Each structure stands twice: as C-alpha cells, then as structure tokens.
C-alpha cells in the first residue's frame, strides 16, 4: 500500500517521538532514585550534626537544642517537598509510559512483517496505573516518607519529648505522607494528560 509524503513524515515524527519519550521516561525514573540517594546522604549528615551538637551542649552544659532543632525543621520541610516531588514524578512517568503503550499498540495491531507480539509487550494505554503498591516507585517514596519520619524522631528527641510521643508522631507522619500521595495519584486516573498533569485541559 502506497503512503503519501505527509504520512511518511507523520511516521517519522511518531518514531522520533517514541524514542524521545523512552528517554523522558528513564529520566523521571532515575530522578526518583537520585532524590532518594540525595536524601539518604543529606539526612545522615544532618542527623549526625544535630545529635553531635545536642550531645556536645549537654556535655558543656550549654543549650544547643535551638539551632539543632532549626536545622532539622528546615531539613524536614525540604524532605516533605522531596516526597511530593517524587509523587509528582510518578504522574509524569505514568503519562509518558501510557503514551508509549498507545503508540506501540497502534503499530502492533497491523502485525508489521508478521510480528505477533507473543511476549505480550505492553500495549494497554490504561497501564501502568498511577498508584500500584507493587511498583518500585511506591516503595521508593515509602522509604522517603520513612526518612522524613526519622528526621521527626530526632527532632522530637532533641526537644525531649516522651518516646511514646516520638513513636506516635513518626508513625502518623508516614501515614499522612503515604495517604496524601496515594489519594493524589488515584485522583489522576481517567484524566487526560493535561488534566492529570496540569489540572486543566
């Protein structure tokens, strides 16, 4: 079947777009991992400095709890922002992955050169779901939520709160973060790309 020049250009565009989207998808995926690595390194240093400063103050009978608490509070605020950023990246990742599936499904339905896709490579434009508890992304931002909770534990410890309060508040913070993340992701389902990403058409 002869195709027009316009259709040839459209095929070139789709081919290029498919390849670019794959790179974009890898970018969003790696960003989540990089955020986790950064937070783990930064939190280890921050907690070490804060506890060191606090213990030094006790030893020297000086109150360094205020600067230590301030540093931990700033770190926690940044950590909550990082958590929201990873959840947001999941939205970008899913939208691009679904677009790739749509393109693959479109071309494979013609069985080009007899290709049958017997391996059942992804062609469903409704997949992957924005939230999937088995997804590595879910576990990664679950770890980030736990790191934020750990920072809160250290903060409350320096402020000399009871261990029961520490355990309750840290557990509550993890629950709040994960609940907000899951609710946000689930609210993106059945929306167009513009609606899911920008909130409007």
């Amino acid at each position: 079947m002869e195709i027009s020049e316009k259709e040839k250009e459209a095929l070139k565009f789709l081919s290029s777009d498919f390849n670019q989207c794959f790179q974009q998808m890898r970018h969003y995926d790696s960003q989540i991992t990089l955020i986790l690595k950064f937070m783990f390194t930064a939190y280890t240093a921050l907690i070490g400095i804060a506890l060191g400063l606090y213990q030094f103050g006790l030893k020297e009978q000086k109150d360094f709890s205020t600067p230590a608490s301030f540093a931990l509070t700033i770190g926690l605020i940044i950590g909550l922002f990082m958590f929201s950023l990873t959840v947001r990246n999941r939205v970008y990742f899913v939208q691009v992955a679904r677009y790739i599936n749509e393109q693959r499904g479109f071309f494979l339905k013609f069985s080009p050169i007899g290709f049958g896709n017997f391996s059942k490579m992804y062609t469903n434009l409704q997949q992957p779901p924005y939230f999937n508890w088995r997804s590595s992304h879910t576990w990664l931002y679950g770890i980030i939520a736990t790191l934020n909770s750990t920072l809160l534990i250290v903060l409350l410890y320096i402020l000399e709160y009871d261990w029961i309060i520490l355990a309750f508040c840290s557990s509550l913070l993890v629950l709040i973060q994960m609940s907000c993340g899951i609710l946000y992701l689930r609210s993106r389902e059945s929306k167009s790309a513009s609606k899911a990403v920008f909130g409007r058409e």
Side-chain angles (χ1 to χ4, degrees):
M1 181 179 68
E2 193 70 26
I3 60 174
S4 66
E5 287 299 317
K6 186 176 181 181
E7 287 173 324
K8 287 180 181 178
E9 290 301 315
L11 286 171
K12 286 180 184 179
F13 168 78
L14 286 174
S15 176
S16 174
D17 200 29
F18 186 86
N19 291 325
Q20 290 297 321
C21 282
F22 248 107
Q23 293 181 28
Q24 193 177 6
M25 190 170 65
R26 289 192 195 101
H27 168 70
Y28 293 136
D29 188 52
S30 63
Q31 263 198 336
I32 295 174
T33 307
L34 289 172
I35 288 171
L36 178 60
K37 288 179 180 177
F38 165 76
M39 288 184 67
F40 187 80
T41 304
Y43 275 26
T44 301
L46 182 58
I47 289 171
I49 292 170
L51 287 176
L53 195 61
Y54 176 69
Q55 293 296 333
F56 179 76
L58 291 178
K59 184 179 178 181
E60 298 296 320
Q61 295 184 338
K62 293 180 180 179
D63 186 13
F64 288 124
S65 62
T66 300
S69 299
F70 180 76
L72 288 168
T73 301
I74 296 299
L76 182 57
I77 292 170
I78 293 172
L80 293 172
F81 172 75
M82 290 296 186
F83 175 82
S84 65
L85 186 60
T86 59
V87 174
R88 184 72 173 166
N89 267 350
R90 173 67 181 179
V91 174
Y92 298 142
F93 176 88
V94 168
Q95 195 57 55
V96 174
R98 289 183 176 187
Y99 179 63
I100 288 172
N101 290 350
E102 183 180 6
Q103 282 199 31
R104 187 186 291 116
F106 173 75
F107 284 103
L108 292 185
K109 72 181 179 181
F110 297 107
S111 298
I113 59 173
F115 183 77
N117 190 26
F118 296 116
S119 64
K120 304 300 179 185
M121 190 58 176
Y122 318 119
T123 57
N124 185 351
L125 59 85
Q126 299 299 322
Q127 296 290 334
Y130 284 98
F131 171 73
N132 179 4
W133 69 269
R134 290 174 293 185
S135 166
S136 59
H137 290 167
T138 301
W139 293 97
L140 287 174
Y141 52 73
I143 293 171
I144 292 173
T146 304
L147 288 174
N148 286 335
S149 176
T150 303
L151 211 61
L152 180 62
I153 288 174
V154 177
L155 174 60
L156 295 176
Y157 169 75
I158 288 175
L159 295 175
E160 300 181 349
Y161 279 90
D162 186 82
W163 283 103
I164 296 175
I165 295 176
L166 265 67
F168 173 77
C169 289
S170 62
S171 300
L172 183 62
L173 182 60
V174 171
L175 182 63
I176 290 172
Q177 289 176 95
M178 293 303 293
S179 296
C180 289
I182 291 168
L183 288 172
Y184 174 76
L185 290 173
R186 284 182 169 165
S187 71
R188 303 299 92 189
E189 290 291 353
S190 304
K191 287 181 168 62
S192 66
S194 296
K195 195 84 170 178
V197 174
F198 304 114
R200 63 178 184 273
E201 295 294 348

